[in-house]
C-alpha cells in the first residue's frame, strides 16, 4: 500500500487531505509540531491508523528518518500570515528553506513522488503582464516587484526552489497545487487564519470592503486535487491553479448577505485613497495596497480538464465557511 508523508498535517487544508487519503485507502505518516496537534488529529480521525513524526520546518533534525518507508511526500506546511511582516525574510526564508528541507529529506529517503501546496499568489503578480489581465499556470509572480507582498514572494520563491530541485533530480516527479483564497467547511474549530475574512465579514468587523478582488476555491476541491495527483500521470511535472472563480471582496460580502440578510456585511468599498493612507502605518493594509489596480484572477481550466471535475461554486464555499464558524462560536 502506498504510504504518504504529509507535512503540516494539522493545517486547514491538510486535514481535508488526510480525510481524502483515508477514504482512498492510503497509509499516512503525518508530521506535526506537538503532542497537542497529534491528539487533535487522533480525535478528528478516531478510526484511522496514523503514524506520527514530530518535526520543525525550521530545523533539520529527524526529517530524513521520518520519511523512511514512505512513497509520496505531500508538503503542505508553510507560514500563512494575515498581515505583512516588517521584514519579508521572516516569511521568505522559512518557506524556501522548509521546502528544500522537505525535498532533500524526500530524496534521501528514496521518495520519487512529491505534491507541493503552492498558491495562486505565486502566479498572479507577474510584473511584465498587463495588471488587469487574468493569469494561468504559465505566469509567475515577480518576487521583487514593489507591489508584491512578503507572502506572495515567499510562495513564489518556495515553489521555484522546488522546481529547481527536481530539475537537478529528474527521478523525482513534482506536482504543485496552487490554490487561491481557500474557503469551505473546516473540519474542526482550529481553522487558523484561512477563514478570517469570512469571520470578519459575518461578525460585522469590516465597515467597508477592500477595493480589490480575490481568486477563491473550496478546500474540498484543493484536497481532492492533491490526492488525485498522486497516481495521475498527466499531473506529473505540472502546476495546477486551484481556482474556482474571482470576485471582488464586496461581491463576497453580498453573497453572504444574500444567504443571511441579518449579517452586517460591508455595503460599499473603501476608497483607494483611504487604503493608501492606512497602508502607511497598518500592516494588513500594505498587502491590499499592492493589489490596487491589479486582478488576482487565475484560470482553473487546466485543473478541471486534467482532473475531470468542476469546481464547487464560491458562494457554496462561503456559506459552508460561515455556517461552520457560527456553529463553533455558538
Amino acid at each position: 500500500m502506498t504510504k504518504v508523508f504529509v507535512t503540516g498535517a494539522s493545517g486547514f487544508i491538510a486535514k481535508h487531505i488526510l480525510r481524502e487519503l483515508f477514504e482512498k485507502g492510503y497509509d499516512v505518516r503525518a508530521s506535526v509540531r506537538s503532542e497537542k496537534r497529534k491528539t487533535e488529529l487522533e480525535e478528528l480521525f478516531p478510526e484511522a491508523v496514523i503514524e506520527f513524526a514530530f518535526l520543525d520546518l525550521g530545523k533539520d533534525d529527524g526529517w530524513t528518518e521520518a520519511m523512511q518507508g514512505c512513497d509520496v511526500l505531500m508538503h503542505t506546511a508553510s507560514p500563512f500570515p494575515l498581515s505583512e511582516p516588517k521584514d519579508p525574510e521572516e516569511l521568505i526564508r522559512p518557506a524556501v528553506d522548509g521546502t528544500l528541507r522537505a525535498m532533500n529529506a524526500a530524496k534521501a529517503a528514496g521518495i520519487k513522488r512529491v505534491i507541493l501546496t503552492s498558491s495562486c499568489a505565486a502566479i498572479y503578480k507577474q510584473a511584465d503582464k498587463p495588471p488587469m489581465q487574468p493569469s494561468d499556470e504559465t505566469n509567475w509572480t515577480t518576487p521583487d516587484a514593489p507591489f508584491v507582498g512578503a507572502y506572495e514572494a515567499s510562495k513564489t520563491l518556495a515553489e521555484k526552489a522546488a522546481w529547481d530541485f527536481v530539475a537537478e533530480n529528474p527521478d523525482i516527479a513534482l506536482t504543485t497545487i496552487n490554490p487561491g483564497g481557500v474557503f469551505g467547511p473546516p473540519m474542526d474549530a482550529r481553522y487558523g487564519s484561512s477563514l478570517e475574512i469570512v469571520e470578519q465579514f459575518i461578525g460585522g468587523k469590516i465597515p467597508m470592503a477592500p477595493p480589490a478582488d480575490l481568486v477563491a476555491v473550496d478546500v474540498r476541491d484543493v484536497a481532492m486535487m492533491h490526492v488525485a495527483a498522486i497516481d495521475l500521470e498527466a499531473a506529473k511535472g505540472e502546476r495546477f491553479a486551484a481556482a474556482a472563480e474571482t470576485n471582488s471582496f464586496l461581491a463576497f460580502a453580498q453573497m453572504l448577505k444574500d444567504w443571511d440578510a441579518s449579517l452586517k456585511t460591508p455595503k460599499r468599498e473603501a476608497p483607494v485613497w483611504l487604503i493608501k493612507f492606512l497602508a502607511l502605518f497598518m500592516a494588513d493594509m500594505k498587502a491590499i495596497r499592492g493589489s490596487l489596480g491589479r486582478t488576482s484572477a487565475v484560470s482553473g481550466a487546466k485543473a478541471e480538464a486534467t482532473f475531470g471535475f468542476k469546481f464547487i461554486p464560491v458562494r457554496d464555499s462561503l456559506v459552508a465557511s460561515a455556517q461552520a464558524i457560527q456553529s463553533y462560536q455558538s
Side-chain angles (χ1 to χ4, degrees):
M1 179 60 67
T2 301
K3 181 175 287 187
V4 182
F5 189 91
V6 182
T7 70
S10 62
F12 173 50
I13 294 173
K15 288 170 185 171
H16 280 268
I17 290 173
L18 290 179
R19 181 168 67 180
E20 190 84 8
L21 288 168
F22 294 137
E23 288 178 353
K24 296 294 189 294
Y26 288 95
D27 290 337
V28 172
R29 185 174 296 156
S31 84
V32 291
R33 292 189 62 174
S34 66
E35 282 285 348
K36 183 178 181 180
R37 298 292 172 246
K38 174 178 180 286
T39 301
E40 185 179 293
L41 292 177
E42 288 174 333
E43 291 175 351
L44 192 59
F45 301 104
E47 304 300 319
V49 177
I50 316 175
E51 297 178 9
F52 287 96
F54 295 95
L55 298 172
D56 186 333
L57 201 59
K59 298 178 181 177
D60 290 330
D61 301 347
W63 278 87
T64 300
E65 295 82 358
M67 290 194 203
Q68 291 294 334
C70 293
D71 306 289
V72 179
L73 165 62
M74 200 161 289
H75 183 48
T76 78
S78 187
F80 177 51
L82 273 181
S83 60
E84 287 287 294
K86 290 183 179 179
D87 181 3
E89 290 297 313
E90 291 178 20
L91 271 181
I92 292 171
R93 283 270 56 88
V96 174
D97 293 347
T99 295
L100 290 176
R101 182 168 286 112
M103 298 290 286
N104 275 298
K107 177 186 176 182
I111 289 175
K112 305 295 185 186
R113 189 76 179 101
V114 177
I115 317 294
L116 171 71
T117 311
S118 185
S119 172
C120 279
I123 294 175
Y124 56 61
K125 281 190 177 178
Q126 184 169 312
D128 60 358
K129 182 181 69 65
M132 293 306 294
Q133 177 182 303
S135 303
D136 61 26
E137 291 87 352
T138 64
N139 296 113
W140 282 91
T141 289
T142 307
D144 57 353
F147 49 80
V148 172
Y151 174 73
E152 294 159 335
S154 75
K155 297 304 290 188
T156 305
L157 292 169
E159 187 185 344
K160 281 183 175 289
W163 285 115
D164 289 344
F165 185 89
V166 297
E168 297 176 0
N169 298 277
D171 56 326
I172 297 176
L174 173 66
T175 299
T176 65
I177 308 297
N178 296 58
V182 183
F183 301 105
M187 293 189 64
D188 58 20
R190 202 184 70 81
Y191 43 82
S193 56
S194 298
L195 300 183
E196 192 155 332
I197 293 171
V198 177
E199 199 169 51
Q200 291 179 346
F201 272 173
I202 67 175
K205 298 176 183 177
I206 302 179
M208 291 183 288
D213 63 17
L214 177 69
V215 55
V217 68
D218 193 286
V219 65
R220 293 163 289 189
D221 285 338
V222 177
M224 178 279 294
M225 290 171 63
H226 277 76
V227 177
I230 293 173
D231 295 315
L232 186 63
E233 202 64 30
K236 293 180 178 178
E238 301 288 341
R239 66 199 303 235
F240 294 95
E245 56 192 87
T246 303
N247 293 285
S248 68
F249 281 95
L250 188 61
F252 287 137
Q254 189 58 51
M255 289 178 194
L256 290 166
K257 185 74 170 179
D258 291 343
W259 166 66
D260 183 350
S262 69
L263 295 176
K264 296 179 180 179
T265 55
K267 298 178 180 178
R268 62 192 182 98
E269 288 186 338
V272 170
W273 68 263
L274 180 60
I275 298 297
K276 290 181 176 179
F277 173 69
L278 294 175
L280 296 174
F281 50 88
M282 293 177 64
D284 54 347
M285 289 294 112
K286 290 180 182 178
I288 296 172
R289 182 182 61 186
S291 296
L292 296 175
R294 310 189 70 88
T295 183
S296 71
V298 180
S299 171
K302 178 182 175 181
E304 289 189 330
T306 304
F307 291 95
F309 78 112
K310 289 292 183 184
F311 284 108
I312 295 168
V314 167
R315 181 196 178 279
D316 295 351
S317 304
L318 289 171
V319 170
S321 302
Q323 288 173 325
I325 291 168
Q326 288 179 338
S327 69
Y328 289 131
Q329 290 179 344
S330 62

